[in-house]
Amino acid sequence: MALIVTVGIVFGDIGTSPLYVMKAITGVNPEFNADYIIGAVSCIIWTLTLQTTLKYVIIALQADNKGEGGILALYSLLKKIKHKWLFIPAIIGASTLIADGVITPAVTVTSAIEGLEKLSEGIPVIPIVIIIISLIFIIQPFGTGSIGKFFGPFMMTWFLMLGVLGISHIFNDTSIFKAFNPYYAFNLLLHHPAWFLILGAVFLCTTGAEALYSDLGHCGKRNITISWGYVKVMLILNYLGQGAWLLTQQGGYIKGTNPFYAIMPPWFLIIGIIMSTGAAIIASQALLSGSFTIFSEAINLNFWPRIKIKYPGTHKGQLYIPLVNLFLFIGCIVTVLLFQSSSNMEAAYGLAITLTMLTTTLLLGFWMKYNGIKTWISLSFMTVFIFIEGIFLISNAAKFMHGGWYTMLLAAIIFAIMFVWQKATKIRNKFIEYHKFDDHLDIISDIKQDNEIPKHASNLVYISKSENEKEVESKIIYSIINKHPKRADHYFIIRVNYDDAPDTLEYKYEVLIPDTLYSIDLFLGYRVDPKVSVYLRQIIEDMVENKEINLVSNYPALKKRNIPGDFHFIIIHRLFSPSSNCRKFEKSVMRMYGYLSKIGLSTEKALGLDTSNITVENVPLIINHGKERRIKRH
């Protein structure tokens, strides 16, 4: 059963490639000969073998981050090594993968619906495509748990259909079996003047390979590895069948004909179109789920502003991000309206995902190096696959002026946001001053006992970003001691740590001053909803049960009736000060950070805090390099 589910979740994108790959290849050279078709199919077979099977199924699936895969999960394994610049290829890969996610639903659904044109001319393809894509995005808030169980059996049937259709035509011209010999692939690429256009079309057969790695956490490496054997056989059979059919059409092929639908018997065509549409919908759904996961990981790696994440189902893999859903929906509709046909979309498709694969290769090479694999092996891996993917990049670069600019523009925008957010976060953290708790324990104890200071609340809660449990931001100390001294019965300093694992939900706490000051660490997985108010209440319940705290209010009227004291949260916002003495680049980054922060959630909403008992204190963040000039007495 697990294998069937895996087929439904993982292979939607790569499984719909027969819809358009051979059509794109014949589009390069409509007046083809036998060597052209055999060489092209050979390129497909060996691309699936080297790129998908060897790189992703055999090698990449070994680089799991606590069971999770994908380029950002891979980066999480490397972020502690000395090569700090590796965040650049990580966000390039994530940005281009998301950009590819905008065009994939458009091209797969359009390719499927265009099959209706074989039934009758004048069918309004574009309106039907827009309706189907709209429905795909409309169901996202409800989760996919109820329909997900049908994905596996449907896709198993889909791949079986691909294989049977292929077998039914393979023997039309058995010379197609020569495609298993890589000689024909090399011969085509070495002697055909449009080799780079051919490779650009061939590359479409492996665009879904990255999804195999990204969905590692959903299905597990064993299930993906085993089920890929079945999927690959069915795909190759279908490509062979399309190739054999094309060999029988030499001189009589009508330009624009899609071999995928041409090999179907007339009586099966409507069934084939329905199956194709269903497979396209499932491929789109899998890609959307993957995009949500990428943004969730990016948020917790400080590559993206914290935005609202919803969990429509009980399954750990189900998450939904409204803002991302809206962005991808608009992108898909613009794609359909801009390009109008699957042929035009194919011209834009593939360029962005090539960069994702290149960056994954680079990060995998470093992962191999730092995980005990001999240097010559990791270097050989990087050299071979950077060469292969570099060739694909060159071939796909020809698509830039024919629509590739569209996905690259989307990727550039996403990359810019990730880069600015990461850089600004790093700059901000560099100029935040920290104090040791131990230096201020006595004065906090005295403030609690000083009845001359008005009581601010029974229980004060501060959110700290300190990575060291022995230290706290100077602004928090300033808020308690200097800025309107705040007397309370108990002080809680909470640090929220986002874990690389998806489902971590743990805490630890330390009593710094008995019955007064507590330091609490929350450890949340990147798929866990950060409901800090809820978790704090649960932690307090544990502390009361362990008799480490008494929450009964110290106000006599309330104490007499055993009424618990109130809780008040204080959030400190650090606003970049224009008076900062820093470089122009840093000023620009910090200003853009200020604009970008408006698209994200406020700290209180991001942490799930009760907004009725929160005070926000704005403090300046001053970035100075060198000594600040002092005013002189006249």
Side-chain angles (χ1 to χ4, degrees):
M1 186 62 189
L3 294 176
I4 295 176
V5 171
T6 300
V7 171
I9 293 175
V10 175
F11 301 107
D13 190 4
I14 201 168
T16 51
S17 56
L19 276 166
Y20 43 79
V21 170
M22 292 304 294
K23 180 186 172 188
I25 288 171
T26 54
V28 174
N29 182 16
E31 299 176 2
F32 50 80
N33 57 25
D35 287 342
Y36 181 85
I37 295 301
I38 294 170
V41 175
S42 183
C43 287
I44 292 172
I45 291 172
W46 286 101
T47 297
L48 290 173
T49 300
L50 293 175
Q51 189 69 14
T52 311
T53 307
L54 180 57
K55 177 187 169 181
Y56 282 98
V57 176
I58 295 177
I59 297 174
L61 292 185
Q62 307 306 315
D64 67 294
N65 182 13
K66 300 177 182 176
E68 290 297 310
I71 190 161
L72 292 185
L74 176 59
Y75 170 73
S76 295
L77 295 172
L78 298 170
K79 65 181 181 179
K80 292 180 181 178
I81 67 174
K82 61 183 179 181
H83 302 291
K84 302 300 182 185
W85 56 270
L86 286 178
F87 85 93
I88 296 288
I91 61 177
I92 289 175
S95 302
T96 48
L97 187 57
I98 294 164
D100 178 70
V102 170
I103 200 169
T104 299
V107 70
T108 52
V109 174
T110 304
S111 296
I113 299 303
E114 281 176 346
L116 291 172
E117 293 176 334
K118 289 186 68 65
L119 295 175
S120 174
E121 293 184 4
I123 289 179
V125 171
I126 298 303
I128 295 173
V129 169
I130 290 175
I131 291 171
I132 292 174
I133 288 177
S134 298
L135 290 173
I136 292 171
F137 283 92
I138 287 171
I139 67 170
Q140 296 308 309
F142 304 101
T144 57
S146 57
I147 58 174
K149 58 186 177 183
F150 299 112
F151 287 2
F154 185 94
M155 291 305 291
M156 287 289 289
T157 306
W158 164 258
F159 284 115
L160 181 62
M161 183 193 86
L162 293 183
V164 171
L165 286 173
I167 290 172
S168 68
H169 285 274
I170 282 178
F171 297 100
N172 289 4
D173 192 325
T174 55
S175 64
I176 194 64
F177 288 111
K178 294 178 182 178
F180 285 103
N181 187 341
Y183 162 79
Y184 292 93
F186 285 114
N187 184 60
L188 176 67
L189 298 178
L190 288 174
H191 297 103
H192 200 286
W195 64 269
F196 55 96
L197 295 177
I198 297 169
L199 272 186
V202 168
F203 182 74
L204 298 177
C205 78
T206 191
T207 52
E210 192 73 28
L212 274 68
Y213 184 33
S214 299
D215 286 323
L216 175 59
H218 292 277
C219 303
K221 65 182 73 173
R222 180 178 177 274
N223 291 328
I224 294 175
T225 303
I226 294 173
S227 55
W228 169 242
Y230 166 73
V231 170
K232 183 182 178 183
V233 168
M234 296 299 112
L235 287 173
I236 289 177
L237 285 173
N238 192 264
Y239 286 124
L240 289 171
Q242 290 189 51
W245 178 84
L246 285 168
L247 289 176
T248 65
Q249 303 296 311
Q250 295 179 68
Y253 174 75
I254 300 174
K255 184 178 179 181
T257 301
N258 190 340
F260 178 78
Y261 288 115
I263 65 174
M264 293 182 182
W267 61 268
F268 187 76
L269 188 59
I270 188 66
I271 300 173
I273 293 170
I274 293 171
M275 291 293 293
S276 300
T277 304
I281 291 171
I282 291 172
S284 302
Q285 175 59 57
L287 224 147
L288 288 176
S289 299
S291 296
F292 295 150
T293 300
I294 289 172
F295 275 99
S296 176
E297 292 174 335
I299 289 168
N300 291 307
L301 287 169
N302 281 322
F303 290 162
W304 196 266
R306 191 157 292 277
I307 52 181
K308 183 67 176 176
I309 299 177
K310 294 184 177 181
Y311 299 84
T314 55
H315 189 272
K316 69 178 184 179
Q318 290 190 38
L319 66 160
Y320 162 69
I321 306 178
L323 192 62
V324 174
N325 194 59
L326 178 61
F327 164 74
L328 293 175
F329 172 66
I330 293 172
C332 281
I333 297 301
V334 170
T335 301
V336 173
L337 295 176
L338 184 65
F339 293 99
Q340 294 289 313
S341 72
S342 63
S343 297
N344 294 334
M345 293 176 199
E346 288 154 15
Y349 194 34
L351 178 56
I353 199 67
T354 315
L355 289 172
T356 303
M357 291 182 171
L358 273 166
T359 54
T360 300
T361 296
L362 182 65
L363 295 180
L364 276 173
F366 278 94
W367 173 83
M368 294 168 73
K369 177 182 176 182
Y370 287 98
N371 278 271
I373 296 174
K374 293 179 179 178
T375 303
W376 71 269
I377 296 177
S378 59
L379 285 176
S380 298
F381 166 80
M382 280 198 285
T383 301
V384 169
F385 282 99
I386 286 176
F387 174 76
I388 292 173
E389 289 157 0
I391 296 295
F392 276 126
L393 179 62
I394 293 170
S395 63
N396 279 303
K399 298 180 177 182
F400 185 83
M401 297 306 297
H402 300 282
W405 61 267
Y406 178 69
T407 50
M408 294 307 295
L409 176 62
L410 292 173
I413 293 170
I414 297 167
F415 171 83
I417 294 174
M418 287 188 173
F419 179 82
V420 167
W421 197 262
Q422 195 275 347
K423 273 293 182 184
T425 302
K426 192 174 180 180
I427 292 169
R428 287 169 64 85
N429 291 340
K430 183 179 178 181
F431 286 92
I432 293 175
E433 185 181 354
Y434 294 95
H435 287 175
K436 290 184 178 179
F437 269 126
D438 292 346
D439 296 338
H440 303 279
L441 299 183
D442 290 341
I443 190 170
I444 292 175
S445 295
D446 290 342
I447 289 174
K448 176 183 176 179
Q449 303 301 326
D450 191 344
N451 292 325
E452 295 295 317
I453 301 174
K455 184 179 285 190
H456 195 86
S458 295
N459 302 281
L460 271 182
V461 184
Y462 284 88
I463 305 296
S464 171
K465 294 185 178 180
S466 172
E467 295 181 358
N468 187 339
E469 59 187 21
K470 301 294 183 184
E471 295 180 342
V472 68
E473 292 93 323
S474 61
K475 296 301 182 183
I476 291 180
I477 297 295
Y478 180 84
S479 174
I480 295 173
I481 299 173
N482 304 94
K483 186 177 184 179
H484 306 298
K486 297 177 179 64
R487 182 163 67 92
D489 296 331
H490 305 105
Y491 301 87
F492 299 90
I493 310 297
I494 295 181
R495 281 179 301 278
V496 181
N497 304 283
Y498 296 101
D499 198 85
D500 291 337
D503 304 298
T504 303
L505 182 55
E506 299 173 354
Y507 77 92
K508 69 175 182 179
Y509 67 88
E510 183 178 355
V511 181
L512 300 175
I513 303 175
D515 199 37
T516 301
L517 180 60
Y518 302 87
S519 174
I520 299 175
D521 278 282
L522 299 180
F523 301 92
L524 309 180
Y526 60 76
R527 287 183 185 160
V528 174
D529 202 356
K531 301 175 182 177
V532 172
S533 290
V534 174
Y535 304 143
L536 177 61
R537 186 180 70 244
Q538 296 171 354
I539 294 167
I540 295 296
E541 288 171 358
D542 289 350
M543 295 171 71
V544 170
E545 187 177 338
N546 294 333
K547 297 185 171 24
E548 290 192 281
I549 192 171
N550 182 3
L551 281 186
V552 175
S553 173
N554 281 329
Y555 290 110
L558 301 181
K559 189 173 184 179
K560 179 180 178 181
R561 294 168 176 80
N562 286 324
I563 295 175
D566 61 319
F567 277 79
H568 194 84
F569 288 83
I570 295 182
I571 305 294
I572 296 178
H573 283 178
R574 299 162 184 82
L575 304 179
F576 175 67
S577 173
S579 62
S580 295
N581 176 26
C582 60
R583 293 184 288 271
K584 287 184 179 179
F585 171 75
E586 291 176 328
K587 276 193 175 182
S588 299
V589 167
M590 296 307 297
R591 283 172 181 159
M592 285 189 281
Y593 177 90
Y595 296 131
L596 291 175
S597 62
K598 298 183 189 306
I599 70 173
L601 295 172
S602 63
T603 304
E604 49 270 30
K605 287 184 179 179
L607 296 177
L609 301 178
D610 182 0
T611 55
S612 64
N613 60 351
I614 291 176
T615 297
V616 175
E617 294 183 355
N618 293 321
V619 298
L621 176 65
I622 300 174
I623 300 175
N624 285 327
H625 294 289
K627 282 190 174 183
E628 193 172 357
R629 189 178 176 190
R630 288 187 63 86
I631 190 169
K632 293 181 180 180
R633 181 175 179 178
H634 183 63

